[in-house]
Amino acid sequence: VIYALIMPVAGYLGDKLGRKKIVVGGGIMTIVGFAAFNVSAMLGLHPYVVGVFYGVYLGCWWTTVDFTNMMSSESVPTYNRGSVAGAGNLIALVSGFLGFALTIVAPLLFPRIGFGYMTVAIPFVLLGVIIMALRVKETKGVDMDSIEYQNI
């Protein structure tokens, strides 16, 4: 439900403010929501409170993923968009495998599994947010036919 509420707002703001701001803000909210979800569950707060934090975390995560996919498509020439989409799916597959492996390893390393996930996952999400904020160009309003490769 929270994801369904987040998407129209993110879409509107993404069109007005730019996709990059949604990705950076969504990444930050993902970290905050994930930490709040885990801490509220560890503290035994009411299930509705835990559920709201879970919804914020997942809603922001998937919104960030969706907007990142849009930005990658809007950043490459037309003749390479399929390859970029395929590479993105390959990265998602590898990440999913690593995430699955984490579900096996985290309980062995940490007495509280949520703390284990936070310890491992949050630095990577934070690194992605920092890279997006500092190194990736905004794609709002890009003419898709005029995109060419540039040397960085």
Side-chain angles (χ1 to χ4, degrees):
V1 172
I2 293 175
Y3 179 49
L5 297 172
I6 289 173
M7 279 308 292
V9 174
Y12 176 79
L13 292 175
D15 287 342
K16 295 293 179 193
L17 304 175
R19 286 128 176 73
K20 182 176 175 177
K21 290 180 181 168
I22 298 300
V23 172
V24 171
I28 292 168
M29 287 304 299
T30 296
I31 292 168
V32 171
F34 187 55
F37 160 66
N38 280 295
V39 169
S40 65
M42 282 187 241
L43 295 175
L45 297 183
H46 195 280
Y48 288 142
V49 173
V50 176
V52 166
F53 289 136
Y54 185 69
V56 168
Y57 146 61
L58 276 185
C60 289
W61 170 256
W62 286 113
T63 299
T64 301
V65 168
D66 292 342
F67 274 76
T68 302
N69 289 338
M70 279 189 276
M71 288 183 72
S72 64
S73 295
E74 297 170 343
S75 299
V76 296
T78 301
Y79 56 85
N80 276 2
R81 285 195 190 113
S83 297
V84 168
N89 288 333
L90 178 62
I91 291 168
L93 180 68
V94 171
S95 299
F97 176 76
L98 293 174
F100 177 72
L102 178 62
T103 63
I104 297 168
V105 174
L108 302 173
L109 298 176
F110 301 98
R112 295 204 176 244
I113 193 166
F115 180 77
Y117 288 131
M118 285 193 304
T119 303
V120 175
I122 286 178
F124 288 105
V125 177
L126 184 59
L127 178 64
V129 168
I130 291 168
I131 291 171
M132 178 64 73
L134 299 178
R135 300 292 301 161
V136 177
K137 293 180 182 176
E138 175 59 66
T139 63
K140 176 187 171 210
V142 169
D143 177 10
M144 302 287 273
D145 294 324
S146 67
I147 299 172
E148 295 182 9
Y149 285 114
Q150 297 176 4
N151 290 331
I152 298 177

